Amino acid sequence: DASFPHLRELGIFSVSVEDGDIDAVVTRSPALEILNIQGSMKGVRLRLVSNSLRCVQIRSFAMESIDVVNAPRLECLLVSECLDPAGGSCTRIKIGHVPKLKLLGYLEPGKFVLEIQDTVIMAGIKTSASMMVTSVNVLSMKVRFGVYDDVKMVPAFLKCFPNVEALHITSEKCDQLAAKFDLSSGKRLVSS
């Protein structure tokens, strides 16, 4: 039942938490602008509803899902060094009402399932206005270019952010055979 009316920045590092713990602290911190989470939190689902959050950074985690339900002031969502959640499933990143979101990263096809306004983004999906986050102008991705399923997700992700002015793509090492791809169609051209 504790509340933190003046808390502006919160860092949670390698702390054992249950579902709802972080959500409850955020809800009881009406001035919270910066949330930093670091450390392996297996099986945790994060659900963010905040009128004050401006920046959320999550690093070295194994969460089941990150659901940004309603964060009208959120400008930056950085998720990096995703660890495989239990059972090898992907982490779901769901983006809801975030009208001021400018920077989003590091999307990782193959490790994340991206959902925008209740639509799961899949390769080859026809993009509609409800699936676009037009406020994002800086997008960062980490892609394993040797993995066909990851590469074919790149165009689908990019279509959701039509106003990107700066695109940062990092290639992640993979142990699979290299192949050539046509990014416009998402099809494999030649395997080597």
Side-chain angles (χ1 to χ4, degrees), residues 56-61 66 76-83 91 93 95 101 103-114 136 138-144 157 161 166-172:
V56 174
Q57 298 177 71
I58 303 170
R59 183 175 175 200
S60 300
F61 69 98
I66 301 164
C76 173
L77 176 60
L78 285 175
V79 181
S80 64
E81 297 180 29
C82 172
L83 307 172
T91 297
I93 296 180
I95 300 176
L101 187 64
L103 188 146
L104 177 62
Y106 291 86
L107 293 181
E108 292 186 59
K111 290 190 178 182
F112 296 147
V113 172
L114 179 62
V136 172
V138 178
L139 179 65
S140 297
M141 297 177 68
K142 186 183 263 189
V143 181
R144 297 176 297 176
F157 280 8
F161 307 99
L167 176 62
H168 305 274
I169 298 180
T170 301
S171 178
E172 186 174 292

Side-chain angles (χ1 to χ4, degrees), residues 63-89:
M63 289 185 186
E64 283 184 27
S65 65
I66 301 164
D67 187 356
V68 185
V69 178
N70 185 19
R73 293 186 65 211
L74 188 66
E75 298 172 11
C76 173
L77 176 60
L78 285 175
V79 181
S80 64
E81 297 180 29
C82 172
L83 307 172
D84 291 329
S89 62

Side-chain angles (χ1 to χ4, degrees), residues 8 10 32-36 52-57 73-78:
R8 294 173 53 97
L10 174 62
L32 186 64
E33 294 181 359
I34 300 170
L35 175 62
N36 292 302
S52 60
L53 273 177
R54 289 185 24 243
C55 179
V56 174
Q57 298 177 71
R73 293 186 65 211
L74 188 66
E75 298 172 11
C76 173
L77 176 60
L78 285 175

